[in-house]
Amino acid sequence: MSINNIPKSIQKNCQTFLACEADFTEAEIVLFGAPYDSTTSNRPGARFGSAAIRAESFGLETYSPYQDRDLTERAICDCGDLELPFGDSAQTLAAIEQHAGQILAAGKLPFMLGGEHLLTLGTVRAAAQRHPDLCLLHFDAHTDLREAYLGVSLSHASVIRRCWEILGDKRIYQFGIRSGERYEFAWAASGHTQLQKFDFTGLEQALAECADKPVYFTLDLDVLDPGVFPGTGTPEPGGVSFLQLMQAAVQVCRQANVIACDVMELAPHYDQSGISTAAACKIVREMLLAL
Amino acid sequence: MSINNIPKSIQKNCQTFLACEADFTEAEIVLFGAPYDSTTSNRPGARFGSAAIRAESFGLETYSPYQDRDLTERAICDCGDLELPFGDSAQTLAAIEQHAGQILAAGKLPFMLGGEHLLTLGTVRAAAQRHPDLCLLHFDAHTDLREAYLGVSLSHASVIRRCWEILGDKRIYQFGIRSGERYEFAWAASGHTQLQKFDFTGLEQALAECADKPVYFTLDLDVLDPGVFPGTGTPEPGGVSFLQLMQAAVQVCRQANVIACDVMELAPHYDQSGISTAAACKIVREMLLAL
Amino acid sequence: MSINNIPKSIQKNCQTFLACEADFTEAEIVLFGAPYDSTTSNRPGARFGSAAIRAESFGLETYSPYQDRDLTERAICDCGDLELPFGDSAQTLAAIEQHAGQILAAGKLPFMLGGEHLLTLGTVRAAAQRHPDLCLLHFDAHTDLREAYLGVSLSHASVIRRCWEILGDKRIYQFGIRSGERYEFAWAASGHTQLQKFDFTGLEQALAECADKPVYFTLDLDVLDPGVFPGTGTPEPGGVSFLQLMQAAVQVCRQANVIACDVMELAPHYDQSGISTAAACKIVREMLLAL
Amino acid sequence: MSINNIPKSIQKNCQTFLACEADFTEAEIVLFGAPYDSTTSNRPGARFGSAAIRAESFGLETYSPYQDRDLTERAICDCGDLELPFGDSAQTLAAIEQHAGQILAAGKLPFMLGGEHLLTLGTVRAAAQRHPDLCLLHFDAHTDLREAYLGVSLSHASVIRRCWEILGDKRIYQFGIRSGERYEFAWAASGHTQLQKFDFTGLEQALAECADKPVYFTLDLDVLDPGVFPGTGTPEPGGVSFLQLMQAAVQVCRQANVIACDVMELAPHYDQSGISTAAACKIVREMLLAL
Amino acid sequence: MSINNIPKSIQKNCQTFLACEADFTEAEIVLFGAPYDSTTSNRPGARFGSAAIRAESFGLETYSPYQDRDLTERAICDCGDLELPFGDSAQTLAAIEQHAGQILAAGKLPFMLGGEHLLTLGTVRAAAQRHPDLCLLHFDAHTDLREAYLGVSLSHASVIRRCWEILGDKRIYQFGIRSGERYEFAWAASGHTQLQKFDFTGLEQALAECADKPVYFTLDLDVLDPGVFPGTGTPEPGGVSFLQLMQAAVQVCRQANVIACDVMELAPHYDQSGISTAAACKIVREMLLAL
Amino acid sequence: MSINNIPKSIQKNCQTFLACEADFTEAEIVLFGAPYDSTTSNRPGARFGSAAIRAESFGLETYSPYQDRDLTERAICDCGDLELPFGDSAQTLAAIEQHAGQILAAGKLPFMLGGEHLLTLGTVRAAAQRHPDLCLLHFDAHTDLREAYLGVSLSHASVIRRCWEILGDKRIYQFGIRSGERYEFAWAASGHTQLQKFDFTGLEQALAECADKPVYFTLDLDVLDPGVFPGTGTPEPGGVSFLQLMQAAVQVCRQANVIACDVMELAPHYDQSGISTAAACKIVREMLLAL
């Protein structure tokens, strides 16, 4: 056998999210994984989220009967997982900010797969630097508005508060929230963010308000009911259904001017059945198709 | 270091349900765990329920956005788990009856965390002794109205029948029931209990009927759909949602004159994901806030 | 002790699905298990489905409060699991076709417990041979209409396509479908099958169209939402609820002239909690009571 | 099809331990399962032991390369599981005593599959009634010599003490013991039983002492190291290896005049991997071949 | 940012076994995964073995303190997993034979990661075609010498018998065997293979006999004791320890003229703890270092 | 009921490690838990170790037949778990150093239950400040001698290197090591530490060398074979047996002048069977009895 006709099968293994096989230069959207969960205060393991989503995506079809679109028609690059230093949140956020910044600088949409929710701060920093009028759409079970958690200001429980320090009042829209301290809800209600408890009521209105602005869309998957998404650090009973989330996420990705986004907080080890990863995969597919 | 200024951290470890740190004397409500499951006929393990609820409650916030109340504003004592003799139901029930009786005698509300459902008989005995006109509100997937199970009259499958022997006709209201033998449904329908199949229809009416009477509220968590509460001895598909249960339980605790209550049948080992324990914790929090 | 009065307990152990203890000759319905999953493309393990359903059925009551019927009033034989040669789909289908054919020849209704969905082809062959005007009612998350899967035409992903080759156009009604390739949906829409996406809309109409024809009812349990049925090879988020499925399945079994049926694709190892098996058991009970 | 030529496959399902398909009358050994664990003080679930052993035995070969014997050459009846009343130990022991007594009365060897260790008391009662000079060989991690456990004298932790009350001093040989209270070891050492800590040292000598007496052999599988047998109520690190146990058990069954025996305390739910059940199956096979 | 200086991190994700990042042309050894398990007769799931080994290898160091060698000093290519048609063993074996043949034709050593043991037949065919005097060294718990399994001749239980049909008598050396049918042991003993029961006794002698011949080394990981390797289709209690296997495997790879090899039968889903995959990863590392 | 005679059962729940119920002032040994794992590079979850050890210790007897000693004869205080800020290793180490320092200042022996291995640095700092001639005895699978891990110098993979910076050459004795980078072994061999690969060979000699010095004993439980201890972040096949570890640990605690110690790296979620926690509990019991 001559070296020139090596079959394609005899080559190094490249694993990507389902059908996201474009090269960076040709891609419109650039997926990357961010395996870090050092500030998780309850059950760690979100570090395994992005790898699980990538590995299990082969169980999905590329075609969505919901949107009648197919991933094979899109140009998406999956550039794998970053290598992040566990236990050093400042360095980790800097690495993510730089990475997302490079993607944005190339005119592409960065799509981060978490990892814990703190990491959103890195991509929001990168996005806000290029888009000073950035709005933040936030789906989550938790307020994430603490000043700090046990003295740690770079915490998953404080990430939206940190984003607010960058974006300012009336730029953050929160949906599905069903857990937090009393003072966090009060702080939001005093005009800092627009917080919708429990569900997506008011999403249409929020999208209208952001219509002419760049939007960062951050999705903490624990907004889902634990019945369909048990694999997360802090399951909160009473969440939205998969179809509710899928419709809302598709609506955001279709109607808003999303310039960056993320899907966070899958911790697959807490779900032996794999349905949490399956849900994450399908949400990512639908968002990629809708963007 | 002198003995007088030992830091608080260097002391014996006291673990309680979330923020339930009042002393017995100052408490309005007294939580206790009852680890026993010897008559469970399907999958045992409810003995681990109360300890799991206590241990995992730290993942919850003390504040409820549903009721806008906070556990830190309540005086609740958690006096831990009883030590119960596995395999001896009569002695076990006697110990529970005595324990609940002491709490009632002190003018406080006993709140039992199971353990299997048979144990409700112990607290109902104590409550009925002090409140001869006691009514029983019962949420469950199962009728629990068997005369006996394989000849055992002190059985989880017979507990409401045993309670009826104390309380008599038209004092027991059952909701959410979706499993039982034909004769149990017939027995209930003949006027012994008021049994609502499948859901909480008629709860408002039942609360009205009990308006001027003392109420014992017993909640078998398997009334929940197994999708959100797999961790129980006998999961019964087709149950109520978490939000349906939470609303109904809060309604009972707010509108009725609840003088004692229990939350039973979490068997955490059958749910590796932990969502069953999370659901139990939140139900307990909401009930404590609503009582 | 004389040999003649050996107590019933000292005999060989016979395990059947709940109360299905009739002999073959006296039975109207004949249950059998088909443990095979060699063409499963995602997570194998459906081979363990029928044995799990049988073993866990003891946790169910024989009485259904939904239909007010009791299994003890029915004559059903459970003849256990076939022994099937893993890795040889052609021989496996032949064995199932022969087995189902013998049951049909005896004037009884074969009820197969899977096993992977490919096996439906064996029973459909047997049924179509005796009922040339056979219609197929198909509940599933997946189209199962592929021409072939990686070159394998006897594949779980192609089973309804293979059935169509026997039955022809306008004889197949599909419900609950939410996953497939674009071309499969197009092929169905071109008039080959009647395919209802996502739910059971149109079931009444389909039953009316089949009113005077023999019906084969095939139920792939993955039509259920993974929240209540995680234990399957390819969980597809966004499925129907247990009550929706139960009502639809009961409606089919009561209104249609079902001459054979199956319940497929329980893979119990992927659900440590056992709720998937519990759901399968109850669906089987309700179908047996409704037939 | 005439009734006379119904194929063997279309019949009620009979599941037995691997190849133990003899009828009661022709059998030398009679297996039965005893699903009860109501006095288990740590983790319950031994009730599922016998069913798991039976179901998983199909993964074993009938031939033993250790002994060069084959189960197909033996006449063994598996009469299934008794139905025992959870929570009522006295009735349970009576049922077992009666059952084992019937087997002994028919001149056959009863072989009980547990279930918790307390149940051994039922079979020992039956055996001692017919064999007043009965000796007891006991393999276990635990002494099981407590006077009572939380006031319960019919407890798994007291079973050998209860047997001693029947058999008397110097009739009980214990091996592998590595856990107990100080007073239990002292009580044994005072001449009541012969207790070998940690391993099987002295087994040869014990067998010599019992050479001319009928022997009951009780095997609590937790004598095994938890590394190879995690699926039990109270795993005790530091146990014997599988090969050590197998050799010792075979030695007992070959050299002693075993007139009844049991294999207890498999709790399969605590071992998702199934290796505990596999170990139990193989031990049972080797004992059946050696008896 | 110009296209020319895209950082390395923004590229498609390539996942390989630990440090096996050589291109095909420069590699001495070529790893590939073969995800297929359709003939597995007990518990399927070996299809997930190769992907698990690759994904979890990052938990290992590249350096071996056992051999004082480092993987970074070796030129190894990991060309990922083949795509194999589940349910079609003939096509699957043909694909493997072709793939291994291409690697051999390029003068490199093919190292297959299973997958079920049947697949060894594909690589042995490729190897035997180029090396007519090929010897087979076989480590396994099972004989794998059946004529056929339920009529299927291409079965994991028959794979060594099929290899023998190619290689002939006295060319196959089996070690660690502790399970099989009586006739399989007899067939081996009649001179067809050299079979060592239970352990590696005689390995030195076998290596001497093969000293001047090309050797195919096939390692079924279930030769390990289930205590350290529970994650496999048919765990067989009483196996060799990890250190025993590692030493024997290193000895083979160092002393014999190994021209192809495989490591088979990891089924990771049966081991929630991950130790089976960890053991497989380390064995592969040590073999790669020793070859 | 008067307040004065409240029964002991009606009081706040205090959970301690088995029988370690002494008050701080009367205790010789002070247990505390350190739930932190933010620098874990493989699988996190050691944060749950100390709570699991405490909760599961009730399954153990207080009496050790190995040492013929009983915990009820010892004065040990368990002061529960510290509250540590996830993601901030510097603050975490400071808190531990302060806590251990207070215990040492009171003349008592601090016994830390991890948590990840990095935390040892906090207690070693406290001990070295009071004992400048401190020696470190280290049992582990891993060298833990990295200069840094991904740039993080406060890492579990660097902890012994950090301790060496405090203690200096020839003060650290490492046993059981079977994983690390090549340069770590070389660095140790150059005279910085005394490193024994794989087992406890030379322990007697090391104890002799430390005979007149204060000793800190740090035990990373992953030195155990994964077969008996799967529940840890980075399982390393080929470890020591439970009995080997228990004997070595008892030898250290009896012969050396241990002034502080720890038991680290139980990550219980990775072991559904619970045997890892059982092993940790027993090791802690034996060490407490031997100190």
Side-chain angles (χ1 to χ4, degrees), chain E residues 168-179:
Chain E
D169 282 350
K170 298 193 188 300
R171 300 280 282 284
I172 298 175
Y173 299 82
Q174 303 183 276
F175 292 90
I177 311 298
R178 57 191 185 276
S179 182

Side-chain angles (χ1 to χ4, degrees), chain C residues 7 10-11 13-15 24 79, chain D residues 10-11 13-15 24 79:
Chain C
I10 309 186
Q11 299 191 14
N13 181 43
C14 284
Q15 188 180 44
F24 180 79
C79 57
Chain D
I10 309 186
Q11 299 191 15
N13 181 44
C14 283
Q15 188 180 42
F24 181 79
C79 57

Side-chain angles (χ1 to χ4, degrees), chain B residues 227-244:
Chain B
V228 294
F229 194 77
T232 194
T234 304
E236 288 286 346
V240 302
S241 75
F242 176 80
L243 288 174
Q244 287 175 313

Side-chain angles (χ1 to χ4, degrees), chain A residues 7 10-11 13-15 24 79, chain E residues 10-11 14-15 24 79 102:
Chain A
I10 309 187
Q11 299 191 15
N13 181 42
C14 283
Q15 188 180 43
F24 180 79
C79 58
Chain E
I10 309 187
Q11 299 190 14
C14 284
Q15 188 180 42
F24 180 79
C79 56
Q102 288 171 329

